[in-house]
Amino acid sequence: METRRKFLTKSLLTLGAATIGTKALFAAENNLAKNEKLRIQQNDVILFQGDSITDAGRKRDNLKPNDTIAFGHGYAMMAAATLLNKYADKNIQVYNRGISGNRVPDLISRWDTDAIQLRPTILSILIGVNDFWRTIDRGAQNTPQQYKQQYQQLLDTTLKQLPQVKLIIGEPFGVKDVKHVTDAWYPDFLGYQQAAKEIAKEYNAIFLPYQSVFDKAASRGSGDYWTTDGVHTSLAGANLMAEAWLSLIK
């Protein structure tokens, strides 16, 4: 599998750079989401992708950026509202393309339309809970290794088309002992979380440790205060996620 360094090299060669010095390649890599925080730039296109946690009841036939009903009622809407307020002078466009029930293969099948064609400069992905959950409730055959391989395929495709995109990889999370999230989830679910963390490191993405975010929030409120069923957020939980996401932005 090609690393992100190879994607950058290939991209620069395609643009006509027949020879690339080590310093030039290093500088290009440093423009990626390798830093701890991202700086919003003029005309940035920010895309939130994922499953029902990102979808959050959005009106899916509304494909416009920066439109309230196109965002649902979750963390993506709250984060987008803050971004659009704070960076009103940057002419940014923010999209939500999360779809309830999605797993990584579902993202792959719709990726050209719902990601590549939007040409995001910042791409935030939260996916993985259903990749595990369906093995529990519907007998799906999947492993953390398969999840990781599929995720790699998704990102490899992305970077071929969008070599300069800045990536945020959200950790799939579960709030234990709230409805669906029982002892049956463990230790298997931990493998998917570890795979997401490894993916973020491999692709020089910013990793957003949502599990730690919710674990720390337990000192201030019970699990069913932050989530309705261990996975889907309450109003407070959506804001908790949005604040964690926004903490990655300068």
Side-chain angles (χ1 to χ4, degrees), residues 49-219:
Q49 267 289 1
D51 51 36
S52 56
I53 302 168
T54 302
D55 181 333
R58 70 181 178 89
K59 189 174 177 60
R60 294 184 199 160
D61 60 358
N62 185 327
L63 302 179
K64 298 177 183 178
N66 307 351
D67 194 317
T68 303
I69 62 174
F71 273 85
H73 52 263
Y75 80 96
M77 183 277 290
M78 294 182 181
T82 298
L83 289 169
L84 290 166
N85 178 10
K86 186 174 181 179
Y87 301 102
D89 61 333
K90 297 292 187 183
N91 190 40
I92 64 173
Q93 296 183 63
V94 192
Y95 293 90
N96 181 0
R97 287 290 192 275
I99 293 184
S100 181
N102 269 195
R103 298 178 291 174
V104 177
D106 300 304
L107 295 189
I108 291 172
S109 68
R110 63 184 180 86
W111 206 239
D112 184 66
T113 299
D114 286 347
I116 303 301
Q117 291 184 25
L118 298 176
R119 312 298 296 178
T121 55
I122 297 175
L123 173 57
S124 176
I125 307 174
L126 174 60
I127 198 74
V129 69
N130 290 320
D131 298 75
F132 164 75
W133 199 352
R134 297 295 83 88
T135 69
I136 294 290
D137 64 356
R138 300 183 189 176
Q141 300 298 311
N142 194 19
T143 66
Q145 292 73 28
Q146 289 171 314
Y147 163 71
K148 183 177 180 180
Q149 290 167 356
Q150 293 160 356
Y151 216 145
Q152 288 169 328
Q153 178 185 342
L154 181 77
L155 295 182
D156 288 348
T157 298
T158 303
L159 293 172
K160 284 179 181 177
Q161 300 296 321
L162 306 168
Q164 299 300 319
V165 70
K166 300 169 186 175
L167 296 171
I168 297 174
I169 302 297
E171 179 183 28
F173 65 88
V175 179
K176 198 163 179 276
D177 299 325
V178 181
K179 199 170 181 180
H180 297 302
V181 185
T182 66
D183 288 338
W185 279 47
Y186 302 95
D188 291 354
F189 182 51
L190 301 178
Y192 295 79
Q193 294 179 316
Q194 179 62 29
K197 186 174 184 179
E198 291 171 0
I199 282 283
K201 183 177 181 180
E202 181 178 337
Y203 287 84
N204 295 324
I206 291 181
F207 181 66
L208 181 43
Y210 278 126
Q211 188 64 58
S212 296
V213 170
F214 280 95
D215 289 348
K216 290 176 182 177
S219 65

Side-chain angles (χ1 to χ4, degrees), residues 37-38 40 83 86-87 122 168 245-250:
K37 292 193 176 186
L38 299 178
I40 299 298
L83 289 169
K86 186 174 181 179
Y87 301 102
I122 297 175
I168 297 174
W245 195 96
L246 290 165
S247 72
L248 306 178
I249 306 299
K250 291 182 181 180

